[in-house]
């Protein structure tokens, strides 16, 4: 009989005590946030990650990242201060519908992250027939199923807008009175966009900018378009409507969709504040 | 004087020290000279400017990466050049990490909105290295300029040497030396409608803003507004790029700038308010309140 070897402590599964690994420098006042993944391409999540070092600072100082199918080992949607939802909702998929409702119940603030969650974006063109769930054919923005508090449009949304919103959301919940005021002013137009509805198209430039006598031909819409569907002909945008994916970036970027002087006039200070927060 | 001139650290009357720049400059050659200095010193890798196009007096956004490029773009063309449309492309196919951009007050607003709310401008916000704003009362569609020059001033666009708005008139100077002036009452009809809700005359959100108003002929009024603008401007002064005079010592001076700024803001504020009751219990949109 071979001699029985002593079992190393690390291999002793039966008697292993669950220990929570504590942060070296716990930060008491972090907010709880997470990423909820619906019918999207994970491009929005990659945009979060594309903040690189800035993201690490955010996680160090401001945010406990409590839920994220791709990055965190948590199976069920927990209570959160801020839920960033990527992707639209397939109404034929019960799990998606249940989970977006659960997200609403458990989150103080729900932010639609990216074109699909805000406006449907490319998933608007879905009409089923794909393997392996060909009956999944109807995709709607999350605002058609639940109340959404703020939008971060764009396909993909930019790392810098996500960064700005996250810093402002933190200031709103945990900042000084002055910082809360500023954060509220900053976030207001993104909340108004959520309030405005779930449909977007390059046509918005016609309906709500040019038809309203507001276009001054700056070119922001063409710069913002992710699919180069917008050109400028004699100083006015011309939308190739066949190419438009309905992400909403052009309208949201236009300085004549919203322009809040009380925030914009402070641009220098705000950019310093955000830079400082991420150092 | 109140908020109509925006925040600024200093205001001077200035002109480029470079005779070549002044030869074709609209006034003091401030934009060309400051971009030239920034380009040569590596402060910017290139600048989005309004360059010439294949039609006479029609500008097109153009990424200048050499001093030669900048020289081709001297002077003002009074119609729309969507410079901001190149702001992402400049960081992509042109590979600029530090962008210079010149534009009207509304385009400076677009740039700052793009930095604070970069919806579709990935990696652009941190690459704006120098934003130069130009004073602007209103702009025109290209077809308006064509009608003003060809129908009202009876000149061929190709034969025009310079256009200028000043002293209450629209001036068209021909290559052969002829000068036609149109009353602004005529040009008002042809203005771009979107300009009538604009509440900024002197590009309050630029790093440095400049225009002819307030300074003598051949000179420009310059506002240095941000820390970044101040840093670049003071280096350019130290390098001898500009001749300057205190704004208090030139005629007509800051008072006229203030007067025109207030006139524009008051008139357009009224337009914004009238839009609220444009129809019968129906309003036109107000972008300063909400995107709805």
């Amino acid at each position: 009989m071979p001699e029985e070897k002593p079992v190393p402590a690390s291999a002793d599964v039966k008697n292993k005590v669950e220990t929570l690994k504590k942060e070296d420098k716990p930060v008491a006042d972090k907010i709880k946030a997470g990423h909820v993944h619906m019918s999207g391409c994970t491009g929005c999540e990659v945009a979060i990650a594309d903040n690189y070092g800035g993201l690490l600072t955010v996680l160090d100082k401001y945010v406990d990242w409590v839920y994220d199918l791709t990055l965190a080992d948590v199976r069920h949607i927990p209570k959160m201060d801020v839920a960033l939802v990527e992707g639209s909702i397939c109404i034929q998929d019960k799990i998606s519908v249940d989970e977006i409702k659960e997200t609403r119940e458990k989150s103080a603030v729900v932010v639609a992250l990216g074109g699909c969650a805000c406006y449907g974006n490319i998933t608007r063109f879905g009409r089923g027939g794909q393997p392996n769930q060909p009956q999944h054919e109807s995709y709607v923005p999350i605002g058609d199923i639940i109340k959404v508090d703020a939008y971060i449009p764009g396909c993909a949304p930019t790392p810098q807008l996500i960064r700005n919103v996250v810093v402002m959301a933190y200031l709103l919940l945990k900042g000084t009175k002055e910082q809360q005021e500023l954060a509220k002013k900053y976030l207001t137009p993104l909340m108004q966009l959520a309030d405005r509805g779930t449909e977007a198209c390059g046509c918005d430039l016609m309906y709500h900018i040019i038809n309203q006598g507001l276009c001054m031909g700056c070119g922001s819409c063409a710069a913002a378009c992710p699919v180069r569907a917008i050109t400028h002909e004699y100083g006015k945008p011309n939308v190739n409507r066949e190419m438009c994916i309905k992400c909403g970036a052009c309208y949201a970027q236009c300085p004549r969709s919203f322009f809040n002087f009380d925030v914009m006039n402070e641009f220098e200070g705000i950019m310093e504040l955000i830079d400082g927060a991420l150092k | 004087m109140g908020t109509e001139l925006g925040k600024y650290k200093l205001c001077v009357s200035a002109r480029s020290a470079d005779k070549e720049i002044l030869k074709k400059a609209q006034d003091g050659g401030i934009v060309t000279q400051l971009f030239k200095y920034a380009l040569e010193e590596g402060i910017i890798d290139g600048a989005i400017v309004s360059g010439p196009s294949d039609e006479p007096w029609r500008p097109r956004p153009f990424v200048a990466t050499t001093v030669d490029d900048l020289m081709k773009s001297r002077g003002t063309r009074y119609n729309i050049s969507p410079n901001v449309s190149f702001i992402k492309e400049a960081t992509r196919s042109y590979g600029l990490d530090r962008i210079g951009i010149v534009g009207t007050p509304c385009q400076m607003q677009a740039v700052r909105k793009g930095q604070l709310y970069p919806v579709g401008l990935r990696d652009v916000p941190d690459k704006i290295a120098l934003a130069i704003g130009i004073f602007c009362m209103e702009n025109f569609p290209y077809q308006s300029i064509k009608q003003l020059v060809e129908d009202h001033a009876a000149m061929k666009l190709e034969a025009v040497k310079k256009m200028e708005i000043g002293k209450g008139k629209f001036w068209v100077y021909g290559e052969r030396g002829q000068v036609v002036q149109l009353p602004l009452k005529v040009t008002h009809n042809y203005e771009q409608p979107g300009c009538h809700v604009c509440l900024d005359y002197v590009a309050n959100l630029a790093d440095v803003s400049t225009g002819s108003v307030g300074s003598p002929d051949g000179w420009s009024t310059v506002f240095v507004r941000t820390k970044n603008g101040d840093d670049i401007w003071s280096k350019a002064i130290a390098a001898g790029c500009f001749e300057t005079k205190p704004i208090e010592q030139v005629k007509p001076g800051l008072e006229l700038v203030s007067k025109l700024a207030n006139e524009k803001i008051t008139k357009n504020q009224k337009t914004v308010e009238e839009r609220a009751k444009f129809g019968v219990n129906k309003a036109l949109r107000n972008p300063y309140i909400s995107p709805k």
Side-chain angles (χ1 to χ4, degrees), chain B residues 18 20-26 29 31-33 35-36 39 47-77 81 102 161:
Chain B
D18 184 333
E20 270 310 301
I21 289 180
L22 290 179
K23 262 185 202 167
K24 276 206 162 180
Q26 187 74 11
V31 180
T32 309
Q33 174 68 73
F35 276 151
K36 179 178 179 237
L39 197 58
I48 306 170
V49 298
S50 297
S53 73
D54 46 10
E55 285 178 274
W57 293 96
R58 180 185 166 200
R60 91 189 141 93
F62 173 66
V63 180
T65 52
T66 65
V67 173
D68 266 4
D69 288 345
L70 288 172
M71 295 303 260
K72 278 180 215 152
S73 311
R74 287 167 296 177
T76 301
R77 297 163 196 84
S81 177
V102 58
K161 194 167 86 182

Side-chain angles (χ1 to χ4, degrees), chain A residues 31-65:
Chain A
I31 59 170
K32 286 189 167 59
H35 172 264
V36 180
H37 204 316
M38 294 306 188
S39 297
C41 69
T42 323
C44 303
E45 170 137 40
V46 171
I48 298 175
D50 280 347
N51 275 297
Y52 303 111
L55 177 64
L56 297 180
T57 310
V58 164
L59 296 179
D60 261 352
K61 291 188 181 170
Y62 312 112
V63 177
D64 266 329
W65 202 245

Side-chain angles (χ1 to χ4, degrees), chain A residues 50 158 160 164 186 192 208 212 218-219 223 228 234 236 251-254 256-260 267-268 272, chain B residues 7 55 82 84-85 88-89 110 112-113 116-120 122-123 192 194 227 275 285 287 289 291:
Chain A
D50 280 347
T158 66
Q160 292 79 23
N164 295 0
Y186 177 88
Q192 289 171 328
H208 306 298
Q212 289 285 313
C218 67
R228 300 177 196 242
Y234 292 103
K236 300 286 153 166
Y251 184 70
Q253 193 68 69
C254 172
R256 293 287 169 81
S257 64
F258 68 85
F259 196 85
N260 43 357
F267 75 94
E268 201 180 2
E272 278 174 10
Chain B
K7 293 181 198 166
E55 285 178 274
V84 185
S85 66
K88 187 161 70 177
E89 200 55 30
R112 299 316 180 190
K113 180 174 176 179
L116 290 178
Y117 298 95
V119 182
R122 183 192 159 105
D123 296 351
Q192 165 174 245
K227 279 182 206 159
R275 288 169 59 92
R285 267 194 62 234
I289 294 177

